Amino acid sequence: MTEPASTTARDSVSYLLRSLSKVLAEDHSREIQKAVECFTTANKLFVYGVGRSGLAARAFAMRMVQLGLECYFIGETITPVVEEGDAVLIVSNTGSTMSAIQVANIARRVGAKVVTVTGHRTSKLSHASNVVLCISDNHDAMRPRLAPLGTLFEAACTVLLDGVVAQVMERLGQTEADMRARHAIMV
Amino acid sequence: MTEPASTTARDSVSYLLRSLSKVLAEDHSREIQKAVECFTTANKLFVYGVGRSGLAARAFAMRMVQLGLECYFIGETITPVVEEGDAVLIVSNTGSTMSAIQVANIARRVGAKVVTVTGHRTSKLSHASNVVLCISDNHDAMRPRLAPLGTLFEAACTVLLDGVVAQVMERLGQTEADMRARHAIMV
Amino acid sequence: MTEPASTTARDSVSYLLRSLSKVLAEDHSREIQKAVECFTTANKLFVYGVGRSGLAARAFAMRMVQLGLECYFIGETITPVVEEGDAVLIVSNTGSTMSAIQVANIARRVGAKVVTVTGHRTSKLSHASNVVLCISDNHDAMRPRLAPLGTLFEAACTVLLDGVVAQVMERLGQTEADMRARHAIMV
Amino acid sequence: MTEPASTTARDSVSYLLRSLSKVLAEDHSREIQKAVECFTTANKLFVYGVGRSGLAARAFAMRMVQLGLECYFIGETITPVVEEGDAVLIVSNTGSTMSAIQVANIARRVGAKVVTVTGHRTSKLSHASNVVLCISDNHDAMRPRLAPLGTLFEAACTVLLDGVVAQVMERLGQTEADMRARHAIMV
């Protein structure tokens, strides 16, 4: 018992990798295909999420910009108005965050498509969405200690959206070099 | 071959999971132990990173706040000054982002500890750090198409730092319920 | 008519300065006194606002940190939970932004004090607040061209809150040198 | 002398209004004309600044988006690469913030125009800029107590840039109604 704490990080990483393999083994192909269709045919793409879900959403948005799409994060300095023909990606584990539901409702009202990544298929947010990518959670006894709160959802979301990036990349015929050339100034 | 694009997302997710298993199999126990020591004994904890690395850093910072630590993200509205006895976590794949190196240098000058998560052990940033958590990359032919740019580093970083969260949680004797009680307002 | 455009900026600046003098001539002393009391006796101070109002709020929050108060901006990476004994400053011109009302309601429910800076005294947000700093608007024919949308409110807010900073500074016996010493790393 | 603190806020507001009238009485017409020319003819407009200067810059950027320009804040989630034919607005009181100088140098190297709003005409940042809008400071004995640190610069910057907004508005033939129609979702 010399390094009990180090064991914990290792246990948690192993637990997360096993859990990711499990929840991402589910077939999301149809929904991803629809989502990619929305993103690549939209005039403008908007992305939204709060907390750690919002960070997964932002990571996706950065790639969309590097892929040449016009993409914005709702709530940041620079966000034009959502209009008909646009698409909105919302990430929310519970699907019950008020501002996320409001964004979905406003988007639908103006005729924009809404794609949601969520942990709850029957949430208000899911009902307001055109496409729902639902990620399952684990419910075993170790989860609270090794992957507290929404940890698994957020990690699964990050990896799943990176998969969507690869598909958008292929769909648009973009290469890694194209993306690098569009990489923002990092100071 | 009706849905080639869906195949891509699936391929990318599989590739990422395999790659994560590989790069996270490396033993980071000693560095993690030292990092957890820094974070839990520091007066204040600061976190920094730009781009997608910065998002992985922010996700970690949110958990530290939920674990009851005084933690700040450098560059956001609310950031007090770094002082002796503080710790700084910097996430940078290349280890050559100028502002990251500057943050490390300023922190060291005032007597704060610097923990770096990076993809390059011999970078300027690594040299300026007290603890270096180095994440390897893949160099196979599929990577540019299935995990373009820093995708693998960023995903590995996210999972590894979630492991660190679990360890800090144990070290501080915190439960998931404690963390939930400290969860910020999400509107 | 050689430089008509330059004339516009000049006209706008003059119009703003005249309007600021007018709307800031109103006596807000009692409300400011109450607000300063809230801010300086609170355990933690939270600040909130969206859009340009949110920027005025952030500018105020930065000064509170430099004055040694524990202050957070709701919605950023680092925001602990609002509790009894805390204070929340909300900036909203209309007083009808949903998330602002929600923040006020949550804050009141847990027993925190709410101070609002608004352009509408009878709004939902005002009703949910303990202290209301109401800034009047101009309604002349030039306003839409020289100070479109909430321009005057936002500028007045910025100046008024800088006045509040000076008062908090005096109340806490802080000097400019004290504030400079707490200035965050700017890289 | 029952309410000495309230007196302070009032004194500070009066001091700021007097100081703003003084520093904004200087003729910036030529530089503003050049800046407006840069902003309205650029392919993309980028905005940058750290701390409270960054907030003034963000407030300006929001208006540019509402005026229909393609405008980005460097360092936020969504920032495409700066290219030839673009323009960059940088706000920095000292003109010596490292990242601001770096942004200017990168922008110039690729052939973008740089407009700087600063308190120091002879700074490194000024030298790297195509257009320099220099705002003077006050140096009287009351300033540290009534307008600590960069308070006056930041307030003057906000008002001056609102003047520039009015001029860009006229130049582009935009109305307040046009701007309102482009107003982002605020949830």
Side-chain angles (χ1 to χ4, degrees):
Chain A
M1 247 208 51
T2 33
E3 293 190 353
S6 331
T7 318
T8 309
R10 249 188 131 66
D11 289 351
S12 170
V13 167
S14 302
Y15 177 83
L16 274 169
L17 291 175
R18 280 197 314 277
S19 304
L20 285 173
S21 292
K22 201 180 81 179
V23 305
L24 292 173
E26 288 185 35
D27 188 7
H28 299 96
S29 300
R30 288 174 71 97
E31 287 77 21
I32 288 180
Q33 179 115 347
K34 284 185 203 161
V36 171
E37 189 67 25
C38 283
F39 300 158
T40 54
T41 59
N43 293 328
K44 301 193 294 292
L45 173 57
F46 292 84
V47 172
Y48 187 69
V50 300
R52 285 171 56 115
S53 291
L55 298 176
R58 277 180 172 86
F60 180 74
M62 288 184 185
R63 290 285 185 245
M64 292 302 103
V65 172
Q66 290 162 4
L67 285 167
L69 295 180
E70 194 177 336
C71 179
Y72 302 95
F73 191 87
I74 293 174
E76 291 204 345
T77 302
I78 296 308
T79 324
V81 66
V82 178
E83 297 168 305
E84 196 180 344
D86 292 341
V88 182
L89 169 71
I90 302 176
V91 180
S92 170
N93 190 353
T94 62
S96 61
T97 308
M98 247 180 91
S99 63
I101 298 168
Q102 227 189 325
V103 165
N105 288 336
I106 294 173
R108 292 300 298 273
R109 201 182 308 142
V110 301
K113 289 269 173 51
V114 176
V115 177
T116 286
V117 184
T118 183
H120 293 81
R121 190 181 302 281
T122 59
S123 66
K124 272 196 188 180
L125 179 59
S126 297
H127 284 125
S129 305
N130 299 83
V131 181
V132 178
L133 273 162
C134 189
I135 294 175
S136 306
D137 204 349
N138 261 359
H139 298 285
D140 54 69
M142 290 172 298
R143 195 205 48 73
R145 191 173 66 86
L146 299 178
L149 304 170
T151 300
L152 177 55
F153 172 80
E154 293 140 14
C157 209
T158 299
V159 174
L160 189 63
L161 287 174
D162 276 335
V164 175
V165 167
Q167 190 156 318
V168 171
M169 198 179 162
E170 186 188 81
R171 169 69 165 269
L172 298 175
Q174 293 284 311
T175 66
E176 191 186 42
D178 296 328
M179 295 171 78
R180 188 174 287 119
R182 286 199 204 86
H183 206 293
I185 292 185
M186 290 293 169
V187 283
Chain B
M1 250 211 47
T2 34
E3 294 189 353
S6 331
T7 318
T8 309
R10 248 189 133 66
D11 289 353
S12 170
V13 167
S14 302
Y15 177 84
L16 273 169
L17 291 175
R18 281 198 313 277
S19 304
L20 285 173
S21 292
K22 201 179 83 180
V23 304
L24 293 173
E26 288 185 35
D27 188 8
H28 299 96
S29 300
R30 289 174 71 97
E31 288 77 21
I32 288 180
Q33 180 115 346
K34 284 185 203 162
V36 170
E37 189 67 25
C38 282
F39 300 158
T40 55
T41 60
N43 293 329
K44 301 191 293 293
L45 173 56
F46 292 84
V47 173
Y48 187 69
V50 300
R52 284 172 55 118
S53 292
L55 298 176
R58 277 181 172 88
F60 180 74
M62 287 184 186
R63 290 285 185 243
M64 293 301 103
V65 172
Q66 289 162 3
L67 285 167
L69 295 180
E70 194 178 338
C71 179
Y72 301 95
F73 191 87
I74 292 174
E76 291 205 345
T77 302
I78 297 306
T79 323
V81 67
V82 178
E83 297 167 305
E84 195 180 344
D86 293 340
V88 182
L89 168 70
I90 302 176
V91 180
S92 169
N93 190 353
T94 62
S96 62
T97 308
M98 248 180 90
S99 62
I101 298 168
Q102 227 189 325
V103 166
N105 288 337
I106 294 173
R108 293 299 297 273
R109 201 182 308 143
V110 300
K113 288 270 173 52
V114 176
V115 177
T116 285
V117 185
T118 183
H120 294 81
R121 192 182 301 281
T122 59
S123 66
K124 272 196 187 177
L125 179 59
S126 297
H127 285 124
S129 305
N130 298 82
V131 181
V132 178
L133 274 162
C134 190
I135 295 175
S136 306
D137 204 348
N138 261 0
H139 298 285
D140 55 69
M142 289 172 298
R143 196 206 47 73
R145 191 172 66 86
L146 298 178
L149 304 170
T151 299
L152 177 56
F153 172 79
E154 294 140 14
C157 209
T158 299
V159 173
L160 189 64
L161 287 174
D162 276 335
V164 175
V165 167
Q167 191 156 319
V168 171
M169 197 179 161
E170 185 186 81
R171 170 68 164 270
L172 299 175
Q174 293 285 310
T175 66
E176 190 187 42
D178 295 328
M179 295 171 78
R180 187 174 288 119
R182 285 199 204 86
H183 207 292
I185 291 186
M186 291 292 169
V187 283
Chain C
M1 247 210 48
T2 35
E3 294 191 353
S6 331
T7 318
T8 309
R10 247 188 133 67
D11 289 351
S12 170
V13 168
S14 302
Y15 177 83
L16 274 169
L17 291 176
R18 280 197 314 276
S19 303
L20 285 173
S21 292
K22 200 180 83 180
V23 304
L24 292 173
E26 289 185 33
D27 187 9
H28 298 96
S29 301
R30 288 174 71 96
E31 288 76 21
I32 288 180
Q33 179 114 344
K34 285 185 202 162
V36 170
E37 189 66 25
C38 282
F39 300 157
T40 55
T41 60
N43 292 329
K44 301 192 293 293
L45 172 56
F46 292 84
V47 172
Y48 187 69
V50 300
R52 285 171 55 116
S53 292
L55 299 176
R58 277 180 172 87
F60 180 74
M62 287 185 186
R63 290 286 184 242
M64 293 302 103
V65 172
Q66 289 162 3
L67 285 167
L69 295 179
E70 194 177 337
C71 179
Y72 302 94
F73 191 87
I74 293 175
E76 292 205 343
T77 302
I78 297 306
T79 325
V81 66
V82 179
E83 296 167 305
E84 195 180 345
D86 292 340
V88 182
L89 168 70
I90 302 176
V91 180
S92 169
N93 190 353
T94 63
S96 61
T97 309
M98 249 180 88
S99 63
I101 298 168
Q102 228 188 326
V103 165
N105 287 336
I106 294 173
R108 293 299 297 272
R109 202 182 307 141
V110 301
K113 288 269 173 52
V114 175
V115 176
T116 285
V117 184
T118 182
H120 294 81
R121 192 182 301 281
T122 59
S123 66
K124 273 195 186 180
L125 179 59
S126 297
H127 284 125
S129 305
N130 298 84
V131 181
V132 178
L133 272 161
C134 190
I135 294 175
S136 306
D137 205 347
N138 261 0
H139 297 286
D140 54 70
M142 292 172 297
R143 195 205 49 72
R145 190 172 68 85
L146 299 178
L149 303 172
T151 300
L152 177 55
F153 172 79
E154 294 140 14
C157 208
T158 299
V159 174
L160 189 63
L161 287 174
D162 276 335
V164 175
V165 167
Q167 190 155 321
V168 172
M169 197 178 163
E170 184 186 82
R171 170 67 165 268
L172 299 175
Q174 294 286 310
T175 65
E176 190 185 43
D178 296 328
M179 295 171 79
R180 188 174 286 119
R182 286 199 204 87
H183 206 293
I185 292 186
M186 291 292 170
V187 282
Chain D
M1 250 210 46
T2 35
E3 294 190 355
S6 331
T7 317
T8 309
R10 248 188 132 65
D11 289 352
S12 170
V13 167
S14 301
Y15 177 83
L16 274 168
L17 291 176
R18 279 198 314 276
S19 303
L20 285 173
S21 292
K22 199 180 83 180
V23 304
L24 292 173
E26 287 186 35
D27 188 8
H28 299 95
S29 300
R30 289 173 71 96
E31 288 76 21
I32 288 180
Q33 179 115 345
K34 284 185 202 162
V36 170
E37 189 66 24
C38 282
F39 300 158
T40 54
T41 60
N43 292 328
K44 301 193 294 291
L45 173 57
F46 292 83
V47 172
Y48 186 69
V50 301
R52 285 171 55 117
S53 292
L55 298 177
R58 277 180 173 87
F60 180 74
M62 288 185 186
R63 290 285 184 243
M64 293 301 103
V65 172
Q66 289 162 4
L67 285 167
L69 295 180
E70 194 177 337
C71 179
Y72 302 96
F73 191 87
I74 292 174
E76 292 204 345
T77 302
I78 296 307
T79 324
V81 66
V82 179
E83 296 167 306
E84 195 181 344
D86 292 341
V88 182
L89 169 70
I90 303 176
V91 180
S92 170
N93 190 352
T94 62
S96 61
T97 309
M98 247 180 91
S99 62
I101 298 168
Q102 228 189 325
V103 165
N105 287 337
I106 294 173
R108 293 299 298 271
R109 201 183 308 142
V110 300
K113 289 269 173 51
V114 176
V115 177
T116 285
V117 184
T118 183
H120 294 81
R121 191 182 300 281
T122 58
S123 66
K124 272 196 187 178
L125 179 59
S126 296
H127 284 125
S129 306
N130 298 83
V131 181
V132 178
L133 272 161
C134 190
I135 294 175
S136 307
D137 204 349
N138 261 0
H139 297 285
D140 55 70
M142 291 172 297
R143 195 205 48 73
R145 191 173 67 84
L146 299 178
L149 303 170
T151 300
L152 177 56
F153 172 79
E154 294 139 14
C157 209
T158 298
V159 174
L160 189 63
L161 287 174
D162 276 335
V164 175
V165 167
Q167 190 156 321
V168 172
M169 197 178 161
E170 185 187 82
R171 169 67 165 269
L172 299 175
Q174 294 285 310
T175 66
E176 190 185 43
D178 296 328
M179 295 172 78
R180 188 174 288 119
R182 286 200 204 85
H183 205 292
I185 291 186
M186 291 292 171
V187 283

